[in-house]
Coordinates of all heavy atoms in Angstrom, one line a residue:
S887 N 46.3 38.3 -36.8 CA 45.4 38.5 -38.1 C 44.2 39.3 -37.7 O 43.5 39.0 -36.7 CB 45.0 37.0 -38.5 OG 46.2 36.3 -38.9
Y888 N 43.9 40.1 -38.6 CA 42.8 41.1 -38.3 C 42.3 41.7 -39.6 O 43.1 42.2 -40.4 CB 43.2 42.3 -37.3 CG 42.0 43.2 -37.1 CD1 40.9 43.0 -36.5 CD2 42.2 44.5 -37.7 CE1 39.9 43.9 -36.4 CE2 41.1 45.4 -37.7 CZ 40.1 45.2 -36.9 OH 39.1 46.0 -36.9
N889 N 41.0 41.6 -39.8 CA 40.3 42.2 -41.0 C 41.0 41.8 -42.2 O 41.4 42.6 -43.1 CB 40.5 43.7 -40.8 CG 39.4 44.3 -41.6 OD1 38.4 43.8 -42.0 ND2 39.5 45.7 -41.8
G890 N 41.4 40.5 -42.4 CA 42.0 39.9 -43.6 C 43.4 40.1 -43.8 O 44.0 39.8 -44.9
K891 N 44.1 40.6 -42.8 CA 45.6 40.9 -43.0 C 46.4 40.3 -41.7 O 45.9 40.3 -40.7 CB 45.8 42.5 -43.1 CG 47.3 42.8 -43.4 CD 47.5 44.3 -43.6 CE 48.9 44.6 -43.9 NZ 49.2 46.0 -44.1
K892 N 47.6 39.8 -42.0 CA 48.4 39.4 -40.9 C 49.5 40.3 -40.6 O 50.3 40.7 -41.6 CB 48.9 38.0 -41.5 CG 49.6 37.1 -40.4 CD 50.0 35.7 -40.8 CE 50.5 34.8 -39.8 NZ 50.7 33.4 -40.2
Y893 N 49.6 40.5 -39.3 CA 50.7 41.4 -38.9 C 51.7 40.7 -38.1 O 51.4 39.9 -37.3 CB 50.1 42.6 -38.0 CG 49.0 43.3 -38.7 CD1 47.7 42.9 -38.8 CD2 49.3 44.6 -39.4 CE1 46.7 43.7 -39.5 CE2 48.4 45.3 -40.0 CZ 47.0 44.9 -40.0 OH 46.1 45.7 -40.8
E894 N 52.9 41.0 -38.3 CA 54.1 40.3 -37.6 C 54.6 41.3 -36.6 O 55.1 42.3 -36.9 CB 55.1 40.0 -38.7 CG 56.3 39.1 -37.9 CD 57.3 38.7 -39.0 OE1 57.0 38.1 -40.0 OE2 58.5 39.0 -38.7
Y895 N 54.8 40.8 -35.4 CA 55.4 41.5 -34.3 C 56.6 40.8 -33.7 O 56.7 39.6 -33.8 CB 54.4 41.8 -33.2 CG 53.1 42.6 -33.5 CD1 52.1 42.1 -34.2 CD2 53.1 43.9 -33.1 CE1 51.0 42.9 -34.4 CE2 52.0 44.8 -33.4 CZ 51.0 44.3 -34.1 OH 49.9 45.0 -34.3
S896 N 57.5 41.6 -33.1 CA 58.6 41.1 -32.4 C 58.7 41.5 -31.0 O 58.5 42.7 -30.7 CB 60.0 41.4 -33.0 OG 60.0 40.8 -34.3
I897 N 58.9 40.5 -30.1 CA 59.0 41.0 -28.6 C 60.2 41.8 -28.4 O 61.3 41.4 -28.8 CB 58.8 39.7 -27.7 CG1 57.5 39.1 -27.9 CG2 59.1 40.2 -26.3 CD1 57.4 37.8 -27.0
I898 N 60.1 43.1 -27.7 CA 61.2 43.8 -27.5 C 61.4 44.0 -26.0 O 62.5 44.4 -25.6 CB 61.1 45.1 -28.2 CG1 59.9 45.9 -27.7 CG2 61.2 45.0 -29.7 CD1 60.0 47.4 -28.1
D899 N 60.5 43.7 -25.2 CA 60.6 43.9 -23.7 C 59.6 42.9 -23.1 O 58.6 42.6 -23.5 CB 60.3 45.3 -23.4 CG 60.8 45.6 -21.9 OD1 61.6 45.0 -21.4 OD2 60.5 46.8 -21.4
I900 N 60.0 42.5 -21.8 CA 59.2 41.7 -20.9 C 59.5 42.1 -19.6 O 60.6 42.3 -19.1 CB 59.6 40.1 -21.0 CG1 59.4 39.5 -22.5 CG2 58.8 39.3 -20.0 CD1 60.0 38.2 -22.6
Y901 N 58.4 42.6 -18.9 CA 58.6 43.0 -17.5 C 57.4 42.6 -16.6 O 56.4 42.1 -17.1 CB 58.8 44.5 -17.5 CG 57.7 45.4 -18.0 CD1 56.6 45.9 -17.2 CD2 57.6 45.8 -19.4 CE1 55.6 46.7 -17.7 CE2 56.6 46.5 -19.9 CZ 55.6 47.0 -19.0 OH 54.6 47.8 -19.6
Y902 N 57.7 42.7 -15.3 CA 56.7 42.3 -14.3 C 56.2 43.4 -13.5 O 56.9 44.4 -13.2 CB 57.5 41.3 -13.4 CG 58.1 40.3 -14.2 CD1 59.4 40.3 -14.5 CD2 57.4 39.1 -14.6 CE1 60.1 39.4 -15.2 CE2 58.0 38.1 -15.3 CZ 59.4 38.2 -15.6 OH 60.0 37.2 -16.4
Q903 N 54.9 43.3 -13.1 CA 54.3 44.3 -12.2 C 53.4 43.6 -11.3 O 52.9 42.5 -11.5 CB 53.4 45.2 -13.0 CG 54.2 46.2 -13.8 CD 53.3 47.3 -14.5 OE1 52.2 47.2 -14.6 NE2 54.0 48.4 -14.9
E904 N 53.2 44.3 -10.1 CA 52.4 43.7 -9.0 C 50.9 43.7 -9.6 O 50.6 44.6 -10.4 CB 52.4 44.6 -7.8 CG 51.7 44.0 -6.5 CD 51.9 44.9 -5.4 OE1 52.7 45.8 -5.4 OE2 51.0 44.6 -4.5
K905 N 50.3 42.7 -9.3 CA 48.9 42.4 -9.8 C 48.0 43.3 -8.9 O 47.6 43.0 -7.8 CB 48.4 41.0 -9.7 CG 47.1 40.8 -10.4 CD 46.7 39.3 -10.2 CE 47.5 38.3 -10.6 NZ 46.9 36.9 -10.5
T906 N 47.5 44.4 -9.4 CA 46.6 45.4 -8.8 C 45.3 45.6 -9.6 O 44.4 46.4 -9.1 CB 47.3 46.8 -8.5 OG1 47.6 47.3 -9.7 CG2 48.6 46.5 -7.7
G907 N 45.2 45.1 -10.8 CA 44.1 45.3 -11.7 C 44.5 46.4 -12.6 O 43.7 46.7 -13.6
K908 N 45.6 47.0 -12.6 CA 46.1 48.0 -13.5 C 47.5 47.7 -13.9 O 48.1 47.0 -13.1 CB 46.0 49.5 -12.8 CG 44.7 49.9 -12.5 CD 44.7 51.2 -11.9 CE 43.3 51.8 -11.6 NZ 43.2 53.2 -11.1
I909 N 47.9 48.1 -15.0 CA 49.3 48.0 -15.5 C 49.8 49.3 -16.1 O 49.1 50.1 -16.6 CB 49.4 46.8 -16.5 CG1 48.6 47.1 -17.8 CG2 49.1 45.5 -16.0 CD1 48.8 46.3 -19.0
N910 N 51.1 49.5 -16.0 CA 51.8 50.5 -16.6 C 52.3 50.1 -18.0 O 53.0 49.1 -18.0 CB 53.0 51.1 -15.8 CG 52.5 51.7 -14.6 OD1 51.5 52.4 -14.5 ND2 53.1 51.5 -13.4
I911 N 52.0 50.7 -19.0 CA 52.5 50.3 -20.4 C 53.3 51.4 -20.8 O 52.8 52.6 -21.0 CB 51.3 50.0 -21.3 CG1 50.5 48.7 -20.8 CG2 51.8 49.8 -22.7 CD1 49.3 48.5 -21.7
Y912 N 54.5 51.1 -21.2 CA 55.4 52.1 -21.8 C 55.4 52.2 -23.2 O 55.7 51.1 -23.9 CB 56.9 51.9 -21.2 CG 56.9 51.6 -19.7 CD1 57.0 50.3 -19.2 CD2 56.8 52.7 -18.9 CE1 57.0 50.2 -17.8 CE2 56.8 52.6 -17.5 CZ 56.9 51.2 -16.9 OH 56.9 51.2 -15.6
R913 N 54.9 53.3 -23.8 CA 54.7 53.5 -25.2 C 56.0 53.9 -25.9 O 56.8 54.6 -25.4 CB 53.6 54.5 -25.5 CG 52.3 54.1 -25.2 CD 51.5 53.1 -25.9 NE 51.7 53.3 -27.4 CZ 50.9 53.7 -28.3 NH1 49.7 54.2 -27.7 NH2 51.0 53.7 -29.6
Y914 N 56.2 53.3 -27.2 CA 57.2 53.7 -27.9 C 56.7 54.8 -29.0 O 55.8 54.3 -29.6 CB 58.0 52.6 -28.6 CG 58.7 51.7 -27.7 CD1 58.0 50.8 -26.9 CD2 60.1 51.8 -27.5 CE1 58.9 50.0 -25.9 CE2 60.7 51.0 -26.6 CZ 60.2 50.1 -25.8 OH 60.8 49.4 -24.9
P915 N 57.2 56.0 -29.1 CA 56.6 56.9 -30.1 C 56.8 56.4 -31.5 O 57.7 55.7 -31.9 CB 57.5 58.1 -29.8 CG 58.7 57.8 -28.9 CD 58.4 56.4 -28.5
D916 N 55.7 56.8 -32.2 CA 55.6 56.5 -33.7 C 55.8 54.9 -33.9 O 56.5 54.6 -34.9 CB 56.7 57.3 -34.5 CG 56.5 58.7 -34.2 OD1 55.2 59.3 -34.2 OD2 57.5 59.5 -34.1
T917 N 55.3 54.1 -33.1 CA 55.4 52.7 -33.2 C 54.1 52.0 -33.0 O 53.3 52.2 -32.1 CB 56.4 52.2 -32.1 OG1 57.6 52.9 -32.3 CG2 56.7 50.7 -32.3
T918 N 53.9 51.1 -33.9 CA 52.6 50.2 -33.7 C 53.0 49.1 -32.7 O 54.0 48.3 -33.0 CB 52.2 49.6 -35.0 OG1 51.8 50.7 -35.9 CG2 50.9 48.7 -34.9
M919 N 52.3 48.9 -31.6 CA 52.7 48.1 -30.5 C 51.6 46.9 -30.3 O 50.4 47.2 -30.5 CB 53.0 48.8 -29.3 CG 54.1 49.6 -29.4 SD 54.3 50.7 -27.9 CE 54.4 49.4 -26.7
L920 N 52.0 45.8 -29.7 CA 51.2 44.8 -29.3 C 51.6 44.5 -27.8 O 52.9 44.4 -27.6 CB 51.3 43.6 -30.1 CG 50.7 42.3 -29.4 CD1 49.3 42.4 -29.4 CD2 51.0 41.0 -30.4
V921 N 50.7 44.5 -26.9 CA 51.0 44.1 -25.5 C 50.2 42.9 -25.0 O 49.0 43.0 -25.2 CB 50.8 45.4 -24.6 CG1 51.1 45.0 -23.0 CG2 51.8 46.5 -24.9
L922 N 50.9 41.9 -24.5 CA 50.2 40.8 -23.9 C 50.3 40.8 -22.4 O 51.4 41.1 -21.9 CB 50.8 39.5 -24.4 CG 50.9 39.4 -25.9 CD1 51.4 38.0 -26.4 CD2 49.5 39.5 -26.6
V923 N 49.3 40.6 -21.7 CA 49.3 40.6 -20.3 C 48.6 39.4 -19.7 O 47.6 39.0 -20.1 CB 48.5 41.8 -19.7 CG1 48.5 41.9 -18.2 CG2 49.0 43.2 -20.3
T924 N 49.5 38.7 -18.7 CA 48.9 37.5 -18.0 C 49.5 37.4 -16.7 O 50.5 38.2 -16.3 CB 49.2 36.3 -18.9 OG1 48.5 35.2 -18.3 CG2 50.8 36.0 -18.9
C925 N 49.0 36.5 -15.9 CA 49.6 36.3 -14.6 C 51.0 35.7 -14.7 O 51.3 35.0 -15.7 CB 48.8 35.3 -13.7 SG 47.1 35.9 -13.5
T926 N 51.9 36.0 -13.8 CA 53.3 35.5 -13.8 C 53.3 34.1 -13.4 O 52.6 33.7 -12.5 CB 54.1 36.4 -13.0 OG1 54.1 37.8 -13.4 CG2 55.6 35.9 -12.9
N927 N 54.1 33.3 -14.2 CA 54.2 31.8 -13.9 C 54.7 31.6 -12.5 O 55.7 32.2 -12.1 CB 55.2 31.2 -15.0 CG 55.2 29.8 -14.9 OD1 54.2 29.1 -14.8 ND2 56.3 29.2 -15.0
N928 N 54.0 30.9 -11.7 CA 54.3 30.5 -10.4 C 54.4 31.6 -9.4 O 55.2 31.6 -8.4 CB 55.7 29.7 -10.4 CG 55.5 28.3 -11.1 OD1 54.5 27.6 -11.0 ND2 56.5 28.0 -11.9
N929 N 53.7 32.8 -9.7 CA 53.7 33.9 -8.8 C 52.3 34.7 -8.9 O 52.2 35.5 -9.7 CB 54.8 34.9 -9.1 CG 54.9 36.0 -8.0 OD1 53.9 36.2 -7.3 ND2 56.1 36.6 -7.9
S930 N 51.4 34.2 -8.0 CA 50.0 34.7 -8.1 C 49.9 36.2 -7.7 O 48.8 36.8 -8.1 CB 49.2 33.9 -7.3 OG 49.5 34.1 -5.9

Side-chain angles (χ1 to χ4, degrees):
S887 295
Y888 172 72
N889 205 17
K891 187 172 177 186
K892 191 172 187 175
Y893 300 87
E894 180 180 312
Y895 293 83
S896 294
I897 295 177
I898 61 166
D899 197 12
I900 301 170
Y901 59 94
Y902 307 93
Q903 288 190 338
E904 187 176 351
K905 192 189 302 185
T906 63
K908 296 182 180 183
I909 58 169
N910 293 318
I911 296 175
Y912 307 104
R913 292 290 313 260
Y914 291 81
D916 303 320
T917 305
T918 300
M919 296 175 55
L920 169 66
V921 173
L922 307 180
V923 180
T924 194
C925 298
T926 299
N927 189 44
N928 296 321
N929 186 340
S930 62

